[in-house]
Amino acid sequence: MTKTIAPDAEVLIDAREVSKRYPNGTQALTKVSLQVRRGEVVCIVGPSGSGKSTLLRTINAMESISSGEVTMDGISVHHPKTNLNEVRTHAGMVFQQFNLFPHKTALENVMLAPMQVLKMPVEEARERAGKLLEKVGLAEKAQSRPSQLSGGQQQRVAIARALAMQPRVMLFDEPTSALDPEKVGEVLEVMKQLALEGMTMVVVTHEMGFARAVANRVVFMDGGELVYQDAPEAFFSNAQHERLRSFLGQVLPH
Amino acid sequence: MRPANPAWRLLTVALVLLIGAGLYWATIKVNYQWRWDRVPEYLLITGGEDVLSPVDGTVAVQGKQITLTPLLGGEPQTFPEIDVVQVSDGEIVFANNTLGKKSGVTPGPLLVGLWVTLQISAWSLVFALILGLIAGLGRVSANPAARDMAAIYVELIRGTPLLVQMFIVYFFLGTVLNLSGFVAGVAALSVFTGAYVAEIIRSGIEGVAKGQMEAARSLGMSHWQAMRHIVLPQAFRRSLPPLAGQSINLIKDSSLVSIMALTDLTKAGREIVASTFSPFEVWFTVALMYLLLTGLLSIYVRKLEKKMAHD
Ligand SMILES: Nc1ncnc2c1ncn2[C@@H]1O[C@H](COP(=O)(O)OP(=O)(O)OP(=O)(O)O)[C@@H](O)[C@H]1O
Ligand SMILES: [Mg+2]
C-alpha cells in the first residue's frame, strides 16, 4: 500500500537543529532535525506536549523559532527578509478544529484564498473550488455553511481549502482527533488518496493504522526532542528503543 | 420556560394603573390644569401659516399670488400660493402686517425638533462607527503606539461626563474653529459614542476564535486581509446587539446638545414649556417621541439579528 518514492528525490523541507522556547519559558523543541523529501509522507507521533504541533507550525512559520533553521525549497523560512505570506502559500495546513470560516459557504471557503492571495478571477476560483470539493466527495455540499456539515465533512472542506493554493506540502495537525470515531475513516481516505497522488505530507497523528499503511517514515517525538525515526515496518516492530516501546505499548492495541 | 400564570399580568396592569392614578392625584393636589388639547398643535400646525410682509410696501394681488413692491425701492417680491388673501390690490402694508394665510399642515415645533434629533443621531452614528472601528482595530493592533493611542482615547472619553465634553467642544473648540451648533453637536456625540463602539468592536474581535486568524494566515493572507474578510465580519455579527444598545444610548444622549444653540427635540420641549403652562403634557409627549425612536430602532435591529442568524 505504501507508495515508494525515488531514493534520490530532493529534500523539500529541511529543519536543522530547531529549538523553540515559548515566551513563558516552556522549552517546546530542543535541536530537532527533520528532512522531508518531495513526495514523501512523514507521520509524527508522540505523547501529548511532546512538541509535535510546535514542530509542524515552525515549518510554515506560524510559530517562530529560537535557534536553528528551516528551509522549504531552499528558502530559509525564518529569515527576517523572507515573505511569510508567500512561503505559507506553498504549505497547506489542516487543523484539528477544522477552523472553517463559519460565515462563508463550503465553496466560498475554498475560493477565498486563491482570489485574495493569488488574485485569481472569480470564475477560475469557482471552477477550481468546485473540482476540489468534488475530489473530497462534497460537490453537493458546495452551498452549505460549515454549521450544516458534519465534522468529517468540515475537515474534508478544510483539506480542499488548503489544496486550493496548490501547495508543495500539506501539513496536518491531528486532523481526525476532534472527529466522532465513525467519521475518521472518510477523512483518512481523502488523505490516503492525496498521498497516492504524490503529495508531500507531514502528518501529526494518533492514527497508528494510518501511519503504518500510508507513511514512508514515522517520527517519534518526546519531551521536545526527535527521539527516533524509521520506515513504518521497522518503526512499529522496534523493541530496542525504551521510550518508543513504552509509548507504542500505550497506544497500540495489545 | 413554563407559561406564567396570567394573574401576574393582571397584577402588572393594576400596578401601572395605580402609579398613574397616584401621579394624577398628585397633580390635582397642586391644582394642575391638564391641557392635553393643546398638545396636537405642538406637533402639527393645521390652522394655516400666516404670511407676513417683510417690509413696508404696496401690494398687487393676482388670484393667489401677491406681489409686494417696497416703498423704499428695491426689487418687488412675489408670494405665490397664498390660500386666504387678506389684503386688497393696491393696499399699502407695513412690515409684519399679515398678507394672508397658507392653508395646509405644517410641522409643529416638536416634530421639527424630532427631525433635528434624528439628523444629529444619524450623522453621529455614522462617524461614531468609523471612529470606533479605527480605535477598536487600534486596541488589538500589534503596534504599541496604535494600541496606546486607542487606549488613551477610550479612557479619556469614558472617564469624563458627556456634558462636560459638550461644553468643551462647544465653547472651546466651537469658538476656536467657528463650528456651528450642529457640527459641534455631531462632533461631541461621535467622539463620545466612538469610544464605546471601540470597546464593543475590540471585544467582538477578541471573541472570534483564534483559529480563524490562524487558518487565514496559513493560507497566505496578510494580517489585514484576514481581518477584513474573516475576523471583522464575524466580530461585527457578535457586536450587533451591543452596538444596537449603544445607538439607542446615542439617541438619548443627543438630548444634551440642547445646551448648544440647536433646537433638537428636548430644546423644542423646553421652549414650549417656557411659553405655556403645560410642562407635564409637553415633557410626557417628548418622552414618548424619544421612546418611539428608540423602540423602532430596537425592533429593526432585532429583525436584522434574526436575518443574520438565518444566513
Ligand atoms: N503558545 C504557547 N505558549 C506557551 N507554551 C506552549 C504554547 N503552545 C504549546 N506550548 C507548550 O509547548 C509544549 C509543546 O506543545 P505542543 O502543542 O507542540 O505539543 P503536542 O505534541 O502537539 O501536544 P498534543 O498532542 O497535546 O497536541 C507543551 O508543553 C505546551 O504546553
Ligand atoms: Mg498538538
Side-chain angles (χ1 to χ4, degrees), chain A residues 96-113:
Chain A
Q96 183 175 349
Q97 300 297 340
F98 329 136
N99 295 349
L100 287 185
F101 308 134
H103 57 303
K104 298 194 173 290
T105 64
L107 193 74
E108 289 165 346
N109 263 273
V110 183
M111 288 168 67
L112 185 67

Side-chain angles (χ1 to χ4, degrees), chain A residues 97-222:
Chain A
Q97 300 297 340
F98 329 136
N99 295 349
L100 287 185
F101 308 134
H103 57 303
K104 298 194 173 290
T105 64
L107 193 74
E108 289 165 346
N109 263 273
V110 183
M111 288 168 67
L112 185 67
M115 284 168 56
Q116 291 303 323
V117 181
L118 307 177
K119 309 294 174 211
M120 186 182 281
V122 149
E123 282 313 318
E124 200 184 334
R126 183 174 295 135
E127 198 185 314
R128 181 184 283 190
K131 279 189 184 141
L132 284 169
L133 285 179
E134 199 170 328
K135 182 187 175 85
V136 299
L138 290 173
E140 77 284 5
K141 296 288 184 189
Q143 299 307 328
S144 304
R145 302 257 168 187
S147 57
Q148 299 165 318
L149 300 174
S150 74
Q153 291 170 331
Q154 287 188 57
Q155 194 60 302
R156 286 187 280 155
V157 173
I159 293 173
R161 178 178 70 179
L163 289 173
M165 297 299 286
Q166 301 190 320
R168 297 171 193 168
V169 57
M170 285 285 283
L171 309 172
F172 294 85
D173 192 355
E174 303 197 25
T176 57
S177 294
L179 296 178
D180 295 338
E182 74 270 20
K183 308 287 186 192
V184 169
E186 62 191 57
V187 172
L188 291 181
E189 194 49 48
V190 168
M191 291 168 60
K192 192 165 165 181
Q193 208 50 49
L194 215 52
L196 290 175
E197 286 168 17
M199 176 61 78
T200 311
M201 294 163 53
V202 183
V203 185
V204 173
T205 186
H206 293 307
E207 295 291 333
M208 296 303 153
F210 177 82
R212 195 193 291 265
V214 181
N216 298 104
R217 187 148 47 98
V218 187
V219 171
F220 174 57
M221 289 189 69
D222 193 12

Side-chain angles (χ1 to χ4, degrees), chain A residues 22-24 26 28 46-55 96 173-174 206:
Chain A
Y22 280 106
N24 68 0
T26 308
S48 178
S50 56
K52 307 181 296 291
S53 300
T54 306
L55 175 62
Q96 183 175 349
D173 192 355
E174 303 197 25
H206 293 307

Side-chain angles (χ1 to χ4, degrees), chain B residues 51-53 58-69 76-91 93 98-101:
Chain B
V51 177
L52 303 180
S53 165
T58 324
V59 293
V61 180
Q62 290 141 350
K64 287 192 162 194
Q65 178 172 311
I66 298 176
T67 310
L68 175 73
T69 313
Q77 300 176 29
T78 51
F79 300 87
E81 313 208 357
I82 305 295
D83 296 297
V84 186
V85 177
Q86 292 176 335
V87 289
S88 47
D89 204 23
E91 192 178 327
V93 295
T98 306
L99 297 176
K101 261 180 197 265

